[in-house]
Amino acid sequence: LLGQGIASNLVQSRKFTVLDREYISEQLAEKANILFGDVKNEEMAKMGQELVADMILVGTIEDFGVQTKTVRMQLSGRSVTTQNAFVNFGYRIMDIATKQIKFADVLELKLDPSELHAVAGGGSQGELESAICRLASEKISVKILEAIYPIVVVSAQGKYITLGQGGNNLQKGDKMEIFQYGDSITDPYTGESLGREEIPIGIIQITRVNAKTTSANYIEGDYDISSNFEPNKFLCRSIESVDNSKMDETIKESRSNYLQRKEKRNSLLD
């Protein structure tokens, strides 16, 4: 489920040509049908068009699970059951030709009872695990895309901004920080290119998400993006310090309600 979620999100970003390695037996069966079946010559020509991967994503699920805990209230005699979820997934992206690691990271995701309820409701064990995989794959995909293909501004008209990425990785209402590219930076020790300066110029908020592009408004900042717009001059990154998705907003609200109920229960016990 985690692998399928990551693949789906990366495909929808339209930044990668993702090659399937899961259904190889089905692919070989279809190739055999082409080779030994009664097909046109044009179909035979397709046999030599198979792509080879430039990069490969590998990883290990170090820890994953849902813990259930039951606490018995001494005064009322009632039993309260709570659940916590956790995921620890280490992954890296490697260049096939050189075996160089292009990007590596570790996802450590922990959900308390209120967060877990907001993500998956009161579903079965399978539903909870599916919801956790969906949330984890979303976070991993965003991290990979921002590391390799950060979202670029492709058009600007006044406060109206168009981003060159759509799909499920972005949601209406998300806020992102917008940067202007500066000079190129080089590592003083190795001479390796570190990319370019990223000068923060404000905040945008997404108003509409399409399959290939996303619309947003420039809501914070006084930089005139429209007058200074050039291709590949501005990029956007998600804001780590704020809740920037509908799921995060739901989690925040659910957590607040959970804490209020807990405080009320404690006051009654006192």
Side-chain angles (χ1 to χ4, degrees):
L1 289 175
L2 184 63
Q4 291 171 1
I6 295 173
S8 176
N9 289 329
L10 294 181
V11 168
Q12 290 197 24
S13 72
R14 299 179 184 273
K15 295 295 183 292
F16 294 96
T17 299
V18 181
L19 307 181
D20 180 78
R21 292 292 184 268
E22 187 173 355
Y23 298 101
I24 293 180
S25 59
E26 288 82 358
Q27 296 171 25
L28 293 176
E30 188 61 25
K31 284 185 178 181
N33 184 55
I34 295 175
L35 287 172
F36 303 107
D38 187 12
V39 298
K40 297 179 181 179
N41 292 334
E42 292 83 354
E43 297 297 327
M44 293 291 293
K46 295 179 181 178
M47 296 297 294
Q49 299 182 17
E50 185 171 348
L51 298 176
V52 178
D54 298 313
M55 293 182 289
I56 184 170
L57 171 65
V58 297
T60 303
I61 300 177
E62 304 289 352
D63 206 0
F64 182 97
V66 178
Q67 290 181 335
T68 302
K69 182 179 179 181
T70 301
V71 179
R72 183 177 179 82
M73 308 294 290
Q74 293 183 352
L75 294 180
S76 62
R78 293 178 55 201
S79 296
V80 179
T81 301
T82 60
Q83 291 178 310
N84 295 274
F86 51 89
V87 181
N88 190 314
F89 179 64
Y91 60 98
R92 61 184 64 179
I93 296 177
M94 299 187 300
D95 186 287
I96 296 297
T98 64
K99 297 183 176 63
Q100 180 183 5
I101 298 176
K102 293 291 188 179
F103 178 73
D105 194 22
V106 176
L107 172 72
E108 294 181 346
L109 180 63
K110 295 181 180 180
L111 300 176
D112 63 27
S114 61
E115 294 172 326
L116 190 58
H117 180 78
V119 171
S124 63
Q125 182 80 6
E127 291 173 332
L128 292 175
E129 292 175 353
S130 297
I132 297 167
C133 287
R134 184 173 65 251
L135 179 60
S137 63
E138 176 186 326
K139 292 182 177 295
I140 292 169
S141 303
V142 170
K143 199 81 171 182
I144 292 173
L145 288 167
E146 289 196 348
I148 300 178
Y149 292 113
I151 300 174
V152 177
V153 177
V154 295
S155 175
Q157 300 291 334
K159 298 288 186 180
Y160 182 79
I161 307 295
T162 302
L163 309 180
Q165 183 178 311
N168 289 342
N169 292 319
L170 299 173
Q171 300 290 336
K172 181 179 178 180
D174 285 0
K175 291 182 179 180
M176 306 186 74
E177 192 167 6
I178 185 169
F179 300 85
Q180 178 185 347
Y181 272 129
D183 297 332
S184 299
I185 306 173
T186 303
D187 190 300
Y189 294 102
T190 64
E192 179 185 3
S193 174
L194 301 177
R196 299 168 62 183
E197 286 182 291
E198 296 182 5
I199 306 168
I201 58 175
I203 304 294
I204 64 170
Q205 185 170 29
I206 294 175
T207 57
R208 187 175 70 253
V209 180
N210 301 317
K212 298 182 180 180
T213 61
T214 297
S215 303
N217 289 329
Y218 186 41
I219 60 173
E220 293 183 26
D222 53 7
Y223 188 89
D224 191 347
I225 300 176
S226 181
S227 299
N228 295 279
F229 177 78
E230 295 177 8
N232 298 319
K233 186 175 181 178
F234 302 97
L235 73 152
C236 300
R237 296 191 183 278
S238 60
I239 303 174
E240 298 292 343
S241 59
V242 299
D243 295 324
N244 59 346
S245 71
K246 289 182 178 179
M247 185 172 291
D248 289 332
E249 289 293 338
T250 304
I251 289 175
K252 182 178 179 181
E253 182 180 356
S254 180
R255 178 188 291 161
S256 176
N257 294 335
Y258 172 79
L259 293 176
Q260 289 178 7
R261 293 195 302 270
K262 183 178 179 181
E263 184 178 351
K264 184 178 181 181
R265 184 170 63 249
N266 290 339
S267 64
L268 291 175
L269 291 175
D270 292 339

